[in-house]
Amino acid sequence: MEPSLNVLGEDLQLCSTRPMTGFYRNGCCDTGPQDRGSHTVCVILTDEFLAMSRYLGNDLTTPRPEFGFPGLKAGDRWCLCASRFLQAAQEFAAPKVVLASTHQRAMDIVPLELLKRHAETSTL
């Protein structure tokens, strides 16, 4: 695993345990060499983003019990792939970002300025 630091240069904070999130399913947006999708951006999901994701072929709302996946809804926090966040921002459908819970490696794909532009104001 990569060092657990957020985009602010501080210790990475928990994103969510309900639902359990993260590439390593530890509640944090930790990353490492096995995480090819860079699940590093902690977001607060919106109906708009979930609809866009479903349209693009990644239905996050339907439960998949065989994978221990409960299905997501607006308001849930989730470790999102950095490239999907960037795509959502370009399509004007980006969810809010929790900066303290977003891994610094997200900045390999998404500029910090863009993450801050979409930051949840209560997390600044």
Side-chain angles (χ1 to χ4, degrees):
M1 241 186 332
E2 299 281 330
S4 296
L5 296 174
N6 64 31
V7 295
L8 304 172
E10 303 165 347
D11 289 338
L12 186 66
Q13 301 299 305
L14 186 70
C15 182
S16 175
T17 57
R18 289 186 174 212
M20 186 61 75
T21 191
F23 179 78
Y24 296 104
R25 290 298 189 257
N26 63 358
C28 290
C29 298
D30 283 310
T31 192
Q34 306 89 349
D35 181 15
R36 294 186 203 173
S38 187
H39 296 78
T40 52
V41 183
C42 180
V43 299
I44 302 171
L45 296 169
T46 62
D47 287 328
E48 183 178 36
F49 172 79
L50 290 167
M52 183 198 87
S53 187
R54 184 172 44 253
Y55 175 77
L56 293 173
N58 188 18
D59 180 4
L60 297 172
T61 60
T62 300
R64 298 290 307 266
E66 67 272 26
F67 300 116
F69 181 71
L72 303 173
K73 63 186 180 317
D76 286 343
R77 288 184 177 204
W78 192 248
C79 292
L80 190 60
C81 292
S83 59
R84 182 54 57 106
F85 175 82
L86 183 59
Q87 180 181 24
Q90 292 166 341
E91 297 293 329
F92 304 102
K96 292 293 185 184
V97 174
V98 182
L99 295 173
S101 302
T102 296
H103 197 283
Q104 66 181 0
R105 291 297 302 269
M107 295 185 298
D108 291 350
I109 297 167
V110 183
L112 179 58
E113 181 180 307
L114 184 60
L115 292 167
K116 285 183 174 182
R117 195 174 316 142
H118 291 281
E120 171 63 29
T121 55
S122 65
T123 66
L124 289 177

